[in-house]
């Protein structure tokens, strides 16, 4: 099944330069969060230039300078002396030189930083532990792009502070996803090597192929610095599994199952105690579907593999705060992921749609926990149907560029065809709709009943950001993705769908900033768009249900897809 995507974006070099200058201004402080954002952004620029095949020592130097400054600040945290900003200024100058020869860049999102609470500083911890366990040697640090640009620079900077001679390169393994290969230049001057990545993933083949190439080049002292302690997954070949068992790995995760020993979680604890002015009585890990242990949520379908980390802190004064991971470093247009998510939630909260964010730290956003009743499809009364329509109309964003809108539809079409086929459904997927006009963008992406609570006389949205640029195949989509999500998840009847579309049209036309687009007034004539996006949404949910696996959910979404797409009397739209 197709579920995962490869989030990436293009940016003009002039805009990249401007964004990096903005990040640099914030980074000129002792706050590690800002320094980390600048470091990750620099690594992303290096990835884009390296992937374009350009020889550019200036960008490598920039990432090295940013990493050196970050590592020094991390190791010196708690000290009153502010580190010199000279390395950051030098890094910015190197970036200016590097970008002068590149008009446009294609940046990939480092998934570990963006989605999976992978912190650059945990590789600093790993390098310190490794260097203290052996005598110094000439060491080659190899980062696997994309994320390996930043991570290899952190490892090299840490070893340098320990007075080791270390050099670094980055590589992009190629070939089939589970059988990666790479070529390295033979260099017998290195006595040891460290392979750095966020993996292992399903096959472990990326790090394994680098180790194999090192062995072929005569290096025998090889160590893996992976992002977690788990072995490679189900797609691992016997040769790769053997290699992983032979090569030692050093792992220092920032967050572990023992939350009392997790640096990030303990920092969030201190911030929560400061906000509530009360000691913490309990910390609940609600990540990876564990939120279903809360009362009334055990039967809801979840996709733990795509979920972000989240922790609930209950204080002794009976207040509670939910911290949810929004991401580290920049996302689209090189704007910090966590800041954009926080601004998004603030915008919706100001209009009364959700609780406001209270704090932002370590890439997590804090929201006060509100006890309320989780909604179900049975709550879809006339007022709730109107409430849904008004929320979708309020939350829409600016239209996607024409080329991006076409790419988004093509992604959905390929995923729909493949997943329906793999699910054994013989129905023919609807054709890609022709949309000559600019369509507003989806503003949410998650509109199921359990995403809403009723607290007193308020109906609030509980999860409002991060779904248009996550690790899934979906990515940014037009508003029809939200419409399809609402229709499917709320199990709207043939009688409710036209009323919902009418309510959405009325709510959209009331928005002055979209009134001239004449989109919302044409909603009653959008059957082809709706059929296509409903099929795509069901196909995606079939894919997510296959990950767990969740047999009831798989059966449910397969039946819905067959129902909506049946050419002989299927559900009317």
């Amino acid at each position: 099944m197709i579920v995962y995507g490869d989030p990436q974006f293009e940016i003009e070099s002039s805009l990249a330069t401007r964004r990096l200058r903005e990040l640099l201004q914030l980074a000129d402080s002792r706050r590690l969060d800002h320094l980390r954002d600048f470091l990750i952004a620099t690594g992303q620029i290096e990835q884009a230039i390296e992937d374009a095949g350009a020889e550019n020592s200036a960008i490598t130097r920039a990432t090295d300078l940013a990493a050196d400054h970050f590592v020094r600040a991390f190791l010196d945290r708690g000290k009153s002396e502010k580190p010199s900003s000279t390395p950051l200024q030098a890094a910015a100058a190197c970036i200016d030189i590097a970008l002068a020869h590149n008009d446009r860049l294609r940046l990939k999102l480092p998934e570990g930083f963006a989605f999976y609470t992978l912190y650059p500083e945990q590789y600093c911890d790993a390098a310190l532990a490794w260097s203290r366990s052996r005598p110094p040697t000439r060491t080659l640090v190899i980062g696997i792009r994309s994320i390996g640009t930043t991570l290899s620079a952190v490892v090299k900077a840490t070893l340098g502070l320990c007075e080791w001679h270390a050099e670094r390169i980055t590589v992009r393994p190629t070939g089939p996803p589970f059988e990666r290969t790479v070529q390295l230049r033979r260099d017998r001057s290195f006595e040891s090597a460290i392979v750095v990545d966020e993996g292992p993933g399903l096959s472990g083949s990326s790090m394994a192929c680098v180790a194999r190439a090192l062995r072929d080049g005569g290096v025998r002292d090889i160590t893996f610095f992976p992002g977690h302690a788990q072995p490679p997954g189900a797609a691992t070949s016997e040769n790769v599994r053997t290699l992983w068992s032979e090569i030692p790995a050093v792992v220092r995760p920032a967050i572990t199952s023992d939350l009392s020993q997790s640096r990030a979680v303990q920092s969030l604890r201190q911030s929560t105690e400061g906000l509530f002015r009360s000691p913490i009585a309990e910390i609940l890990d609600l990540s990876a579907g564990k939120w279903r242990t809360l009362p009334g949520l055990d039967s809801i379908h979840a996709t733990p593999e795509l979920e972000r980390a989240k922790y609930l802190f209950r204080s002794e004064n009976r207040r509670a705060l939910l911290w949810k991971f929004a991401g580290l470093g920049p996302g689209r247009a090189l704007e910090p992921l966590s800041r954009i998510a926080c601004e998004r939630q603030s915008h919706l909260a100001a209009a009364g749609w959700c609780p406001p964010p209270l704090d932002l730290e370590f890439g997590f956003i804090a929201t006060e926990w509100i006890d309320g009743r989780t909604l179900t499809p049975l709550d879809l009364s006339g007022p709730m149907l109107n409430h849904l329509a008004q929320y979708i109309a309020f939350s829409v964003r600016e239209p996607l560029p024409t080329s991006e809108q076409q790419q988004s539809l093509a992604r959905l079409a390929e995923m729909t065809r493949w997943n329906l086929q793999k699910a054994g459904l013989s129905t023919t997927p609807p054709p890609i709709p022709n949309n000559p006009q600019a369509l507003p963008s989806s503003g949410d992406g998650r509109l199921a009943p359990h995403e809403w609570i009723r607290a007193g006389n308020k109906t609030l949205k509980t999860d409002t950001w991060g779904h248009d640029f996550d690790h899934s195949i979906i990515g940014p989509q037009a508003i029809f993705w939200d419409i399809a999500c609402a229709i499917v998840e709320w199990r709207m009847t043939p009688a409710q769908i036209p009323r919902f579309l009418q309510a959405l049209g009325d709510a959209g036309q009331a928005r002055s900033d979209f009134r001239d687009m004449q989109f919302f007034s044409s909603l009653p004539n959008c059957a082809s768009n709706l059929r296509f996006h409903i099929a795509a949404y069901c196909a995606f949910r079939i894919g997510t249900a296959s990950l767990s696996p969740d047999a009831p959910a798989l059966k449910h979404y397969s039946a819905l897809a067959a129902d909506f797409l049946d050419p002989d009397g299927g559900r009317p739209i």
Side-chain angles (χ1 to χ4, degrees), residues 49-107:
I49 292 176
E50 291 283 351
D51 280 347
E55 290 289 336
N56 197 317
S57 60
I59 189 59
T60 305
R61 175 66 175 156
T63 311
D64 286 343
L65 287 165
D68 184 73
H69 187 81
F70 175 82
V71 168
R72 289 177 186 273
F74 171 65
L75 296 178
D76 291 344
R77 64 194 185 282
K79 296 182 180 180
S80 58
E81 182 180 350
K82 179 182 176 181
S84 169
S85 62
T86 302
L88 295 180
Q89 299 293 341
C94 288
I95 291 172
D96 288 343
I97 295 172
L99 292 182
H101 305 288
N102 295 270
D103 294 331
R104 193 170 184 83
L105 302 169
R106 176 169 288 278
L107 277 63

Side-chain angles (χ1 to χ4, degrees), residues 111-119 254-257 259 262 264-265 268 283-291 303-313 321-328 361-367 463 465-466 470:
E111 295 151 6
F113 297 151
F115 311 129
Y116 301 118
T117 61
L118 190 83
Y119 291 80
I255 299 178
T256 67
S257 57
L259 299 183
S262 299
V265 175
L268 300 182
I283 304 177
L284 296 178
D285 181 359
L286 301 183
S287 313
K290 297 187 186 74
W291 50 269
T303 310
E305 296 84 355
L306 288 175
E307 286 192 15
R308 297 168 185 263
K310 53 186 83 72
Y311 300 95
L312 181 64
F313 293 76
L321 199 66
L322 180 72
W323 290 87
K324 180 184 173 183
F325 188 66
L328 305 173
E361 185 177 342
F362 270 88
F364 283 81
I365 293 176
T367 306
D463 186 10
W465 45 258
D470 59 12

Side-chain angles (χ1 to χ4, degrees), residues 150-468:
T150 300
L151 297 181
S152 62
V154 167
V155 172
K156 178 191 172 186
T158 306
L159 294 179
L161 292 178
C162 297
E163 300 184 349
W164 281 53
H165 177 85
E167 297 181 25
R168 78 174 180 97
I169 62 172
T170 66
V171 297
R172 170 78 68 185
T174 58
F178 301 149
E179 300 174 8
R180 298 296 195 194
T181 59
V182 72
Q183 289 185 337
L184 297 177
R185 186 181 62 196
R186 286 179 176 268
D187 189 341
R188 297 184 181 277
S189 64
F190 294 103
E191 302 159 282
S192 60
I194 299 171
V195 183
V196 185
D197 194 20
E198 61 188 343
L202 285 174
S203 71
S205 67
S206 292
M207 296 182 78
C209 75
V210 176
R212 191 178 299 115
L214 284 166
R215 283 182 171 180
D216 292 344
V219 180
R220 290 292 176 263
D221 185 0
I222 305 170
T223 306
F224 285 157
F225 279 18
H228 56 84
Q230 300 302 313
T236 311
S237 69
E238 193 59 40
N239 288 338
V240 168
R241 197 177 302 279
T242 299
L243 194 147
W244 268 89
S245 68
E246 295 172 349
I247 293 180
V250 180
V251 187
R252 292 293 184 273
I255 299 178
T256 67
S257 57
D258 183 358
L259 299 183
S260 65
Q261 299 299 313
S262 299
R263 184 187 301 121
V265 175
Q266 289 308 304
S267 178
L268 300 182
R269 178 187 189 130
Q270 292 175 7
S271 296
T272 305
E273 290 177 338
L275 282 169
F276 287 167
R277 300 184 183 278
S278 172
I280 297 301
E282 180 184 32
I283 304 177
L284 296 178
D285 181 359
L286 301 183
S287 313
K290 297 187 186 74
W291 50 269
R292 290 185 297 176
T293 62
L294 298 176
L297 302 179
D298 58 318
S299 62
I300 296 173
H301 166 59
T303 310
E305 296 84 355
L306 288 175
E307 286 192 15
R308 297 168 185 263
K310 53 186 83 72
Y311 300 95
L312 181 64
F313 293 76
R314 295 190 185 276
S315 66
E316 292 183 359
N317 65 5
R318 297 190 177 183
R319 295 178 70 184
L321 199 66
L322 180 72
W323 290 87
K324 180 184 173 183
F325 188 66
L328 305 173
R332 295 170 62 85
L334 279 179
E335 294 184 294
L337 290 163
S338 56
R339 188 187 73 194
I340 294 302
C342 198
E343 291 174 354
R344 177 70 176 168
Q345 185 175 336
S346 296
H347 169 68
L348 293 170
W353 291 108
C354 65
L358 299 183
D359 201 358
L360 172 60
E361 185 177 342
F362 270 88
F364 283 81
I365 293 176
T367 306
E368 184 154 12
W369 185 264
I370 296 177
D371 288 317
R373 180 178 68 82
T374 303
L375 300 192
T376 74
L378 297 177
D379 290 297
L380 191 61
S381 60
M384 185 62 211
L385 190 135
N386 290 333
H387 193 70
L388 265 176
Q390 289 163 5
Y391 175 75
I392 292 174
F394 182 86
S395 66
V396 294
R397 310 186 207 212
E398 291 300 316
L400 297 174
T402 302
S403 61
E404 192 169 350
Q405 184 169 294
Q406 292 171 344
Q407 292 168 11
S408 70
L409 290 171
R411 283 198 312 275
L412 292 186
E414 173 61 17
M415 179 270 298
T416 302
R417 181 193 65 78
W418 182 263
N419 286 7
L420 292 182
Q421 178 182 330
K422 286 293 182 180
L425 298 176
S426 58
T427 50
T428 302
I432 295 178
N434 179 27
N435 293 315
Q437 66 182 123
L439 301 177
S441 298
S442 161
D444 193 300
R446 297 286 191 277
L447 291 164
H450 70 265
E451 303 273 358
W452 299 81
I453 61 168
R454 190 154 291 159
N457 61 353
K458 292 184 177 180
T459 301
L460 299 172
K461 187 71 171 55
T462 62
D463 186 10
T464 57
W465 45 258
H467 310 131
D468 63 330

